Amino acid sequence: MSETSPKLRAELEGIPTYKPGKPAAAVDGPVAYKLSSNENPYPPLPGVLESVTSAAGAFNRYPDMACTGLMNELADRFGVPLTHLATGTGSVGVAQQLVQATSGPGDEVIYAWRSFEAYPIITRISGATDVQVPLTPGDVHDLDAMAGAITDRTRLIFVCNPNNPTGTVVRRAELERFLDRVPSDVLVVLDEAYGEFVRDAEVPDGVELYRERPNVCVLRTFSKAYGLAGLRVGFAIAHEPVAAALRKTAVPFGVSQLAQDAAVASLRAEDELFGRVGALVSERARVVETLRGQGWTIPDTQANFVWLRLGERTVDFAAACERAGVVVRPFAGDGVRVTVGETEANDIFLKAAEGFRKEL
Ligand SMILES: Cc1ncc(COP(=O)(O)O)c(C=O)c1O
């Protein structure tokens, strides 16, 4: 018997494994709250839970692969044709399908950095080359530099708006100027995972921009504002042939019936869910104001998290938060992202941040 192991693709060598936010396991410490994954802290609405429990009785069957009910609901909700919609296993699943549909070896994918940590992974898995364009010193997408990075090998550009992990946004005028500079055969993906948390009127809804621009695709998720992170469903709005390509690159039956039914129930319960989003937005204002009062420099955030650029002190700060009872998301050597969660959790975090600041 040969001793060699199966040959794997060389590209995998340098690719990091996706690192999820640390869970909130309290070990001999105070109750731990999880502020590390930008989740919605509210439990499911009773009606949404009910839709999932009724679907659960039939999970011996495959789900509706075409997500018919959900697609119809989305088409109505966003005023788009059914042929412009595609669903996937979370919006990260759809993002991966987008890269697979556009980019392979020799092709380039541009995105800002630091941004959503799945972008490098899904790009490299496709065999494509990632081109990371540093954020400006104010932690905002540098759209001029991103436009300048386009070559004849560029196939896809991610614009994460608001950006994960900084919460910063790009506004309508600058985004439109950027889109005008992108060649029409390059796909621009507006990743709006946190779009429902935006309160800055100058930040465009990507759906407006996609209508007149066949090379723009909008990526949305049910994981954040709608509170369905554990069910894994996201979607894209894009013109043909992009939406059709997404249906080809989808994992068959990737969106469970539980997820489909919960997503439909959530769209119908938007008023109530968006009331919760409003409460989180108020909490966000309180968290930012308190941190600034403590002396921290915090970029303006339009998402459900805040960013503290702590550099070398990142890991120590995360450890201090954990000792206090909140798990946050450190990016070693760079900064810490903290989700706006339950009021009690935010209070613990703010107290830990104050204590850490005093020690500096
Ligand atoms: C910017 C951004 N896009 C996409 C996602 C993926 O979310 P999901 O796969 O749960 O829809 C996330 C999750 O954290 C995110 O931050």
Side-chain angles (χ1 to χ4, degrees):
M1 231 170 59
S2 133
E3 291 299 315
T4 53
S5 53
K7 283 203 173 93
L8 301 174
R9 285 172 54 217
E11 287 94 335
L12 298 187
E13 285 283 320
I15 301 179
T17 303
Y18 186 90
K19 197 163 173 264
K22 204 170 157 182
V27 187
D28 299 334
V31 179
Y33 288 94
K34 186 178 176 209
L35 299 181
S36 54
S37 292
N38 296 342
E39 292 153 334
N40 191 317
Y42 290 94
L45 288 175
V48 176
L49 193 56
E50 167 64 28
S51 72
V52 172
T53 43
S54 22
F59 64 47
N60 53 312
R61 303 287 177 191
Y62 286 106
D64 170 5
M65 196 169 113
C67 297
T68 316
L70 176 55
M71 295 280 270
N72 283 324
E73 201 81 24
L74 288 170
D76 267 6
R77 165 69 178 79
F78 292 98
V80 298
L82 279 170
T83 50
H84 285 198
L85 284 165
T87 53
T89 314
S91 58
V92 73
V94 186
Q96 178 153 31
Q97 292 165 238
L98 284 163
V99 176
Q100 278 175 343
T102 55
S103 314
D107 298 331
E108 292 175 353
V109 174
I110 299 176
Y111 52 85
W113 199 250
R114 180 174 289 277
S115 189
F116 181 34
E117 65 172 310
Y119 298 154
I121 299 174
I122 59 182
T123 301
R124 294 174 203 171
I125 285 175
S126 233
T129 303
D130 48 338
V131 179
Q132 303 187 343
V133 177
L135 297 170
T136 66
D139 287 320
V140 180
H141 276 59
D142 188 340
L143 291 179
D144 274 341
M146 288 175 75
I150 297 171
T151 69
D152 56 6
R153 291 181 299 281
T154 308
R155 295 288 174 273
L156 185 152
I157 306 173
F158 283 109
V159 176
C160 189
N161 201 27
N163 188 45
N164 174 8
T166 55
T168 49
V169 287
V170 291
R171 300 196 169 81
R172 184 173 289 104
E174 53 182 324
L175 188 51
E176 284 184 352
R177 237 184 351 261
F178 169 76
L179 293 174
D180 289 343
R181 289 179 66 185
V182 178
S184 59
D185 61 355
V186 173
L187 182 67
V188 180
V189 178
L190 303 177
D191 184 345
E192 299 185 335
Y194 304 96
E196 297 83 0
F197 295 92
V198 171
R199 291 296 179 272
D200 180 336
E202 287 305 307
V203 175
D205 176 340
V207 181
E208 289 165 25
L209 297 174
Y210 118 96
R211 291 191 197 277
E212 300 300 320
R213 296 176 187 264
N215 67 331
V216 169
C217 167
V218 184
L219 201 53
R220 297 277 180 92
T221 182
F222 283 96
S223 297
K224 311 294 178 181
Y226 294 89
L228 303 184
L231 285 174
R232 314 305 304 127
V233 51
F235 62 99
I237 300 177
H239 292 259
E240 302 271 12
V242 176
L246 283 174
R247 290 191 284 275
K248 285 188 191 168
T249 51
V251 171
F253 305 109
V255 182
S256 73
Q257 200 61 49
L258 278 61
Q260 294 180 37
D261 291 1
V264 169
S266 301
L267 286 168
R268 292 180 184 166
E270 252 185 9
D271 286 350
E272 211 172 340
L273 288 169
F274 286 3
R276 292 170 160 194
V277 169
L280 290 168
V281 166
S282 305
E283 265 301 275
R284 171 177 83 197
R286 181 178 77 92
V287 168
V288 169
E289 199 183 317
T290 310
L291 288 169
R292 287 184 177 152
Q294 292 171 5
W296 295 98
T297 303
I298 307 289
D300 282 328
T301 172
Q302 290 287 313
N304 64 339
F305 50 83
V306 294
W307 173 244
L308 291 91
R309 185 172 281 297
L310 279 139
E312 293 311 310
R313 289 164 299 161
T314 293
V315 174
D316 289 346
F317 181 86
C321 288
E322 199 163 332
R323 282 195 298 278
V326 287
V327 183
V328 298
R329 180 72 163 94
F331 295 91
D334 201 356
V336 173
R337 188 193 69 199
V338 186
T339 308
V340 175
E342 304 84 337
T343 306
E344 315 80 77
N346 302 333
D347 284 342
I348 295 171
F349 159 63
L350 289 169
K351 201 155 170 244
E354 187 178 30
F356 194 89
R357 183 98 208 148
K358 284 188 182 140
E359 309 262 298
L360 289 181

